[in-house]
Amino acid sequence: MTDSKEPEWLTNYYQRIQSDATLAFGRRDNITNWSYTLLIAGIAAYVGLFGTGTFVIPLGRFGLASGILLVLIRFFFQSMIAYGYFNRARYLRTKIEKYWMDNTPTLDQIKQEIKNYDHGKAIPSTHRELFKGQVRSGFVLILAIPTILIVIEFYLGYSWEYLAIVIGLIIYLLLEIKSFVKYPQMKSLSEK
C-alpha cells in the first residue's frame, strides 16, 4: 500500500473484494443448488424403495434418509461459511464506497478495517446473521424433509440400529457445530 493522495491500491483492492464477494455468493448459491439436487434425488430414491419388487429392508430406507441428512448438514455449514465471506467483502466494499462518496470513514480507518477483517480474517459485526441468512435461503426446507423421512421411518417401526444411526447423526452435528465455531475465519474481532 502506498500513501499517495490518489490511492490506486484502493481501487485495485475494491475490485479484488468485489470478485471475492461474487465468488463467495456464487459458492453459496452453488451449495444451495447442490442441496436441492441431492434432496430431490434422495426423495426419488427413497420413494422408489417402496415400489413393488424392491427388497430393501426398512433400515436401508432409514440409512438413505440419514445419509442425505448427513450430507445436507455439511452443505449447511459450508454455505454459512461462504455467506460469512460474502458479508466480509460486502462490509469492506461499503466502507470504501462511503469513503469515495463523502470521505467518511477516513483512509486510515479503511486501512484499519482491511487489517482487521481481511488480513485478520475476522467477520464484521453486521445486522446480517449467518444462521438467519441460511434460514432465509431455504435451508429449513432442505433440512426438514430428510428429518421428516427419518421420523416416518421411526413411526413405521424401529430397532436399536435406528437409534445408533440417530446418535451418530447427533454426534456428527455437534462436531460440525464445534468445527464451525472454532473456524478462525468465522470469528468476530472480539472473539479473536
Side-chain angles (χ1 to χ4, degrees):
M1 288 193 249
T2 65
D3 291 320
S4 65
K5 297 287 184 203
E6 286 294 322
E8 184 181 321
W9 66 266
L10 190 59
T11 303
N12 293 336
Y13 181 79
Y14 182 84
Q15 290 170 351
R16 189 196 66 133
I17 61 169
Q18 177 63 28
S19 66
D20 287 352
T22 302
L23 181 68
F25 204 70
R27 181 173 180 225
R28 180 182 179 217
D29 283 347
N30 286 338
I31 291 171
T32 303
N33 291 339
W34 274 101
S35 298
Y36 282 122
T37 303
L38 175 66
L39 184 64
I40 290 167
I43 290 171
Y46 179 82
V47 170
L49 294 178
F50 282 101
T52 56
T54 58
F55 300 103
V56 177
I57 60 173
L59 184 61
R61 293 190 313 260
F62 188 81
L64 175 66
S66 299
I68 292 167
L69 184 59
L70 184 107
V71 174
L72 291 177
I73 288 170
R74 180 70 177 164
F75 282 173
F76 174 80
F77 285 102
Q78 289 300 309
S79 183
M80 221 166 25
I81 289 170
Y83 190 50
Y85 288 163
F86 170 77
N87 282 342
R88 177 186 303 137
R90 181 181 172 132
Y91 177 82
L92 292 171
R93 277 188 352 219
T94 302
K95 292 292 184 181
I96 293 169
E97 290 166 0
K98 286 180 181 179
Y99 168 74
W100 284 337
M101 296 292 286
D102 53 9
N103 289 330
T104 56
T106 67
L107 187 57
D108 287 335
Q109 289 171 325
I110 288 177
K111 286 179 182 179
Q112 189 58 47
E113 298 280 9
I114 291 170
K115 286 178 188 173
N116 290 340
Y117 298 115
D118 189 16
H119 301 165
K121 304 294 183 194
I123 295 291
S125 298
T126 64
H127 67 282
R128 297 178 178 274
E129 295 181 30
L130 300 180
F131 184 78
K132 286 183 182 178
Q134 293 310 100
V135 169
R136 280 187 232 114
S137 74
F139 260 96
V140 168
L141 175 67
I142 292 170
L143 294 174
I145 291 174
T147 304
I148 290 169
L149 297 179
I150 289 171
V151 170
I152 289 170
E153 287 301 320
F154 259 113
Y155 177 75
L156 293 176
Y158 69 93
S159 63
W160 69 269
E161 291 97 348
Y162 287 44
L163 191 56
I165 292 172
V166 169
I167 290 170
L169 274 173
I170 292 169
I171 290 170
Y172 179 75
L173 177 62
L174 293 174
L175 289 173
E176 280 290 333
I177 291 170
K178 179 183 176 186
S179 176
F180 178 78
V181 169
K182 298 244 181 225
Y183 188 54
Q185 294 194 31
M186 290 294 110
K187 295 185 183 234
S188 66
L189 272 181
S190 61
E191 296 174 314
K192 287 199 169 223

